[in-house]
Amino acid sequence: MEVGEVHAWPSTVEEARDIQDRLRPSLELGDPGPQRPATIAGLDVSYAGDGTGVDRLAAAVVVLDAVTLETVEEAVVAGIAAFPYVPGLFAFRELPTLLEALRRLDTTPGLLVCDGAGLAHPRRFGLACHLGVLTGLPAMGVAKTRLFGRHDQPGPRRGATADLLDDGGEVVGRVLRTQDGTRPVYVSVGHRIDLDTACRHALALSPEFRLPETTRRADRLSRAALRAG
């Protein structure tokens, strides 16, 4: 697939924050987003180190049929973390390799599902936002752990939710129970999708396990690439 023009890569924390500030107004947040996309892509990155140093990594993209959840296409690219580990700027470590993996796809997915945050981010510009703006595609984040915000616990049954709030009480995401009695995941919008639609897709992508199939398969692919390389 084609990826649009990418900004110059930052070398300092100040440059990275300036890029986030410059790109944030490009977010499209009022669009309900794709209701029935033909394909949905999961993106994940695995590290050979602990994720905080100059680590070797592998970025994987797995495209699924949105109805059957069968794998349609996949791509994986090995690389080196492109930026130091700085809280709030983690996307800058992974984006170059993720974008290269997307370029290797023949399929243009109808929706990107990132293993990370979108608006549920201290600077309101997590990985899902950044990828959405750079590719122009609808994008959302499904995080395993809470990066930002506060919330009540959702009910114990599959589909239960609770709002994820910033310090001022603004909704920045939703805590979603994808399976009965399991720990919830943290869903937030990235670009060209609303929160209700994002949560509906996250639940549909998780028919058996806590994590969406998009994340599970991209995680397996990236880990296998590191072991092989």
Side-chain angles (χ1 to χ4, degrees):
M1 60 167 279
E2 291 187 10
V3 174
E5 182 179 352
V6 178
H7 53 72
W9 212 249
S11 58
T12 67
V13 168
E14 291 74 18
E15 290 175 355
R17 288 175 176 162
D18 285 346
I19 289 169
Q20 289 179 325
D21 291 341
R22 177 163 52 85
L23 295 182
R24 193 181 301 109
S26 299
L27 292 173
E28 298 178 21
L29 302 176
D31 189 336
Q35 300 300 301
R36 294 179 177 83
T39 55
I40 300 178
L43 301 92
D44 197 14
V45 175
S46 293
Y47 288 85
D50 64 3
T52 62
V54 183
D55 297 316
R56 186 167 61 90
L57 56 80
V61 181
V62 178
V63 182
L64 306 186
D65 181 290
V67 176
T68 66
L69 301 186
E70 293 180 357
T71 298
V72 174
E73 189 179 4
E74 57 188 34
V76 61
V77 176
I80 300 294
F83 195 79
Y85 175 79
V86 179
L89 301 177
F90 200 77
F92 289 97
R93 295 173 63 75
E94 304 181 346
L95 274 166
T97 320
L98 281 170
L99 290 170
E100 180 57 33
L102 284 168
R103 289 187 186 98
R104 297 188 182 188
L105 294 176
D106 294 324
T107 307
T108 298
L111 174 64
L112 304 180
V113 179
C114 304
D115 177 32
L119 287 183
H121 180 274
R123 296 179 58 78
R124 300 295 196 281
F125 202 75
L127 176 62
C129 297
H130 211 142
L131 269 170
V133 169
L134 292 181
T135 63
L137 297 175
M140 56 181 272
V142 181
K144 303 180 186 75
T145 57
R146 177 174 57 86
L147 172 67
F148 174 74
R150 57 184 172 82
H151 62 88
D152 295 329
Q153 283 298 317
R157 303 303 297 270
R158 170 178 163 85
T161 64
D163 286 339
L164 183 62
L165 307 171
D166 69 6
D167 290 339
E170 180 182 351
V171 176
V172 294
R174 196 166 290 159
V175 188
L176 172 66
R177 192 89 63 187
T178 55
Q179 300 295 327
D180 291 355
T182 63
R183 288 179 294 129
V185 296
Y186 298 84
V187 180
S188 57
V189 303
H191 184 59
R192 296 181 56 200
I193 191 170
D194 67 16
L195 191 53
D196 286 343
T197 304
C199 286
R200 181 170 60 79
H201 286 311
L203 199 61
L205 289 166
S206 310
E208 297 182 70
F209 301 100
R210 172 183 176 242
L211 296 179
E213 286 302 305
T214 40
T215 299
R216 284 167 42 80
R217 295 185 206 180
D219 175 74
R220 285 202 302 265
L221 181 60
S222 61
R223 290 178 185 275
L226 281 181
R227 289 193 299 269

